[in-house]
Amino acid sequence: MQREVGSLPLAPSLRARLAAAGFQTAQELLETGPCGLSKEIGISKEEALEALQVVRQECHGGAARTAGGSGTARKFTALELLEEEQAQGFIITFCSALDNVLGGGVQLTKITEVCGAPGVGKTQLCMQLAVDVQIPECFGGVAGEAVFIDTEGSFMVDRVVDIAAACVQHCQLIAEAQQEEDHLKALETFSLESILSHIYYFRCLDYTELLAQVYLLPEFLSEHSKVRLVVIDGIAFPFRHDFEDLSLRTRLLNGLAQQLIIVANDHKAAVVLTNQMTTRIGQSQSTLVPALGESWGHAATVRLIFHWDNSQRLATLYKSPSQREATIPYHITPHGFRDVQPPAVTQNAGGTEVNPRKRPRREEEKQ
Amino acid sequence: MDWDQFDLNPRTVAALKKADIKSVKEILNLSGADLQRLMKLSSADVQCLLKTVSRALRRSSVVTALQLYQDKDHLTSQSQKLSLGCSVLDNLLKGGVPLVGITELAGESSAGKTQISLQLCLCVQYPYKYGGLESGAVYICTEDAFPSKRLQQLIGQQHKLRADVPAEIIQKIKFGNSIFVEHAADLDTFQRCITRLSLLLARGMVRLVVIDSIAALFRCEFGLSESVTKARYLQTFGAQLHSLSTRFRTPIMCINQVWHRNCCLFYLINGWRMVVHTLSVVVGNRVAPALGITWANQLLMRLMASRVSLPGQASGVASHCTGSVRTLRVVFAPHLPPSSCYYTVQLEGVRGIK
């Protein structure tokens, strides 16, 4: 009831009039009533009634709303945040070197950007992640679903079928070696058809459709609450032509980034974007840099750059808040995104090839 | 724009009309705060407006990957591809050229790029059952004249190349009538070509576009210092072609030249092509497709054709072939591993060698 007038979701002109008339809290507004309000600030009675309805809704419905609206701020201590982050799942990439460099895999609630020249493997990684996000928890996955927003038309479902079949086979091998109840039970529902049916595919032909699709994402993710991955392949393509006004492009990209951050946080999903490379021409030489400009570099939390060294593909972790910069080699095989050599099988007590990629829990170490 | 057709609050509609907003694109180009200021609405109203217009724009229901996989309708399926007329080449490409996207065929001169393109122009006219699209082709020449004599030769020999198709069907197709040839030596003419293309595509008369070659358009007109302008042209053309390809499910085949990595003089002067060919033999086969990364970013798939002189060529392989052996290599594609196969150019067309 002591809400400040300035924080209420009213039209700015209305707020200005209320401030000019001397109203400071929501309580004062409600006490004045519609007739008094319309006389005091010179609006019609209908408008005053509407405004008071909004105020009442705000004051009584405040508890149910999530953050992102006006006002209610959640308070956390750093310890709570640390515990939350450690319990956070990762989406593994099946390339253990890359998972190690990322600290476990692609992190949920963060935006990861993958940049690279054409043909280096960005779309392959996206397809791999769309399959890997669905791995059941007993195999070390997050048991989620995936949204794939395609702007270039490079999503070839036959390739996804190959990747998904290899992933199912990998889990079957683990289950056979382990012979545990929950592994076999999970495999009953983890099949090629179920994987394909949980990848939601959207095709956007230009940047307006992409913006519209991102506005609709929160609603879609509320309906499909198991989605843990949103892929946009690629973010640069619709924004790199047709823009005489580059400041408009920067504004739109900033808005897009903000919405994606909200989506990632509210729905505990990982957002993966792919970006192109462009040539920056310096005084004496030219270098390849990620496209969309300098300000776009701030949008992603984690930035990976894929590049070639002769015929070896390399992935460099270029930007990360918690991991060191590192470069590792990787392969694209018919089964998907993989390490260069098969990873050494570590024999933990009851551990499998897949489990060591999970971050160790602090509670276990304390014991 | 008739805002009443949307499911909007009358107050929002009035505000839209007052602010003179004419299209959905204008609304989405503004942020939430800008819209609030412009239309004097509350943030809840603005969010509702954004969601409503987004929903109207993205009317199509969501598709799952399973539905894409199980879609066998030849009008919409991803597995539908344009055959190259030879089973060996089709196997390399896992069916043929994808219908949506720009495919590039790069290579040195006389590697066989034009031969493959001519063959595609004939293949597209076959029925769906035989890997075609039952429609014609547009062939845009940007440097040399269209090789009509060679086309007549190929038409005459179709029964030999396509032994899998019954003779009555081949006889019924009037190959020459459905190939539209355009000449465009500079960028303005090319732009006009693209505009005309959309008319032909809308009428369903063509389902293949060949551009021979895209590099020639940019070779003479831009010096090294005008790379920004060149990049903008490349991106605009790439986006237009991409949009046409998606709207009409029509493959676009662009032929590209290669240039030697250490010799950028080739870039500017046409006559140096012969010299470069010699250079590349001396220094080793370090060639790269022209036009750089700006153009490569627009492509779905890149193929490279080259003449390879193999040590064991004389025996067995070449004994029944009239021409030298060439290689067709997949450089990148989202659905293909890097792989290659051999082929020769015969009288009846391009044939892969197992």
Side-chain angles (χ1 to χ4, degrees), chain A residues 9 50 118 124 152 154-157 196-197 199 201 203 205 207 209 212-213 215 219 240-241 277 281, chain B residues 11 25 28-29 40 42 54-55 58 62-66 69 78 227 235 239 242 246 296-297 332 334-335:
Chain A
E50 269 180 29
Q124 300 297 311
E152 299 176 350
S154 52
F155 183 81
M156 305 297 249
V157 76
L196 291 179
S197 64
I199 302 179
Y201 177 77
R203 178 85 166 87
L205 300 175
Y207 75 88
E209 289 193 14
Q213 192 61 60
Y215 274 121
E219 199 178 278
R240 290 194 73 204
H241 63 92
M277 300 295 268
I281 300 172
Chain B
R11 185 183 45 203
K25 188 168 164 173
L28 290 174
N29 274 357
K40 306 194 196 348
S42 68
S54 300
R55 222 170 283 137
R58 303 292 299 159
V62 63
V63 172
T64 65
L66 186 65
Y69 182 51
Q78 263 197 12
S227 40
Q235 276 164 352
H242 197 266
T246 314
N297 278 328
F332 64 76
H335 60 306

Side-chain angles (χ1 to χ4, degrees), chain B residues 283-310:
Chain B
V283 186
N285 196 15
R286 293 191 55 219
V287 291
L291 300 177
I293 199 170
T294 314
W295 176 244
N297 278 328
Q298 316 290 328
L299 304 172
L300 176 74
M301 183 163 93
R302 172 172 269 170
L303 304 169
M304 188 89 116
S306 43
R307 297 176 80 109
V308 192
S309 47
L310 307 162

Side-chain angles (χ1 to χ4, degrees), chain A residues 34-334:
Chain A
C35 303
L37 200 63
S38 69
K39 272 198 217 111
E40 288 249 11
I41 58 175
I43 53 173
S44 74
K45 224 165 149 202
E46 289 88 32
E47 289 181 32
L49 268 169
E50 269 180 29
L52 284 174
Q53 255 181 1
V54 170
V55 171
R56 249 178 239 118
Q57 232 178 3
E58 278 299 308
C59 293
H60 294 300
R65 263 183 299 112
T66 55
S70 50
T72 49
R74 292 180 295 189
K75 285 192 294 190
F76 290 105
T77 62
L79 181 65
E80 286 168 20
L81 287 175
L82 179 65
E83 284 169 4
E84 200 180 296
E85 197 179 296
Q86 285 183 339
Q88 210 66 269
F90 291 89
I91 307 176
I92 62 170
T93 63
F94 266 111
C95 170
S96 58
L98 185 59
D99 288 338
N100 287 338
V101 156
L102 290 170
V106 172
Q107 211 175 352
L108 298 181
T109 74
K110 304 270 190 286
I111 301 187
T112 305
E113 187 184 355
V114 180
C115 315
V120 75
K122 311 183 290 290
T123 306
Q124 300 297 311
L125 178 63
C126 293
M127 295 198 243
Q128 183 74 59
L129 290 171
V131 169
D132 289 350
V133 71
Q134 306 190 39
I135 294 177
E137 279 165 346
C138 56
F139 294 105
V142 298
E145 302 177 352
V147 165
F148 199 106
I149 301 179
D150 185 6
T151 62
E152 299 176 350
S154 52
F155 183 81
M156 305 297 249
V157 76
D158 290 331
R159 180 63 176 146
V160 180
V161 164
D162 291 341
I163 295 177
C167 182
V168 169
Q169 207 180 31
H170 185 101
C171 292
Q172 277 170 347
L173 287 174
I174 295 177
E176 271 168 37
Q178 292 275 295
Q179 291 290 333
E180 275 178 38
E181 257 311 309
D182 48 348
H183 283 188
L184 296 167
K185 198 152 169 283
L187 270 182
E188 280 167 30
T189 46
F190 188 60
S191 69
L192 178 64
E193 280 80 25
S194 85
I195 296 178
L196 291 179
S197 64
H198 291 131
I199 302 179
Y200 304 106
Y201 177 77
F202 297 93
R203 178 85 166 87
C204 294
L205 300 175
D206 56 35
Y207 75 88
T208 312
E209 289 193 14
L210 179 62
L211 291 171
Q213 192 61 60
V214 174
Y215 274 121
L216 293 174
L217 262 184
E219 199 178 278
F220 186 80
L221 293 190
S222 307
E223 286 167 24
H224 299 85
S225 56
K226 286 187 74 185
V227 172
R228 289 282 171 274
L229 173 70
V230 176
V231 174
I232 302 186
D233 180 25
I235 191 95
F237 188 76
F239 283 102
R240 290 194 73 204
H241 63 92
D242 217 14
F243 270 100
E244 300 86 29
D245 180 10
L246 281 183
S247 63
L248 171 66
R249 186 178 89 170
T250 313
R251 268 203 317 276
L252 291 177
L253 284 171
N254 285 338
L256 201 60
Q258 278 173 22
Q259 276 166 55
L260 290 172
I261 292 173
I262 292 174
V263 159
N265 270 313
D266 285 353
H267 298 96
K268 273 208 170 171
V271 176
V272 175
L273 312 171
T274 64
N275 195 1
Q276 295 171 349
M277 300 295 268
T278 184
T279 321
R280 185 196 286 156
I281 300 172
Q283 286 101 341
S284 55
Q285 54 173 13
S286 57
T287 48
L288 277 183
V289 296
L292 297 179
E294 293 279 348
S295 55
W296 175 249
H298 301 289
T301 319
V302 176
R303 200 174 226 190
L304 282 167
I305 300 195
F306 286 2
H307 52 112
W308 292 93
D309 177 22
N310 290 325
S311 51
Q312 176 60 55
R313 298 175 207 251
L314 297 172
T316 302
L317 181 65
Y318 192 71
K319 174 186 174 187
S320 165
S322 53
Q323 302 298 124
R324 285 177 64 179
E325 203 177 292
T327 303
I328 52 103
Y330 66 92
H331 258 175
I332 312 274
T333 68

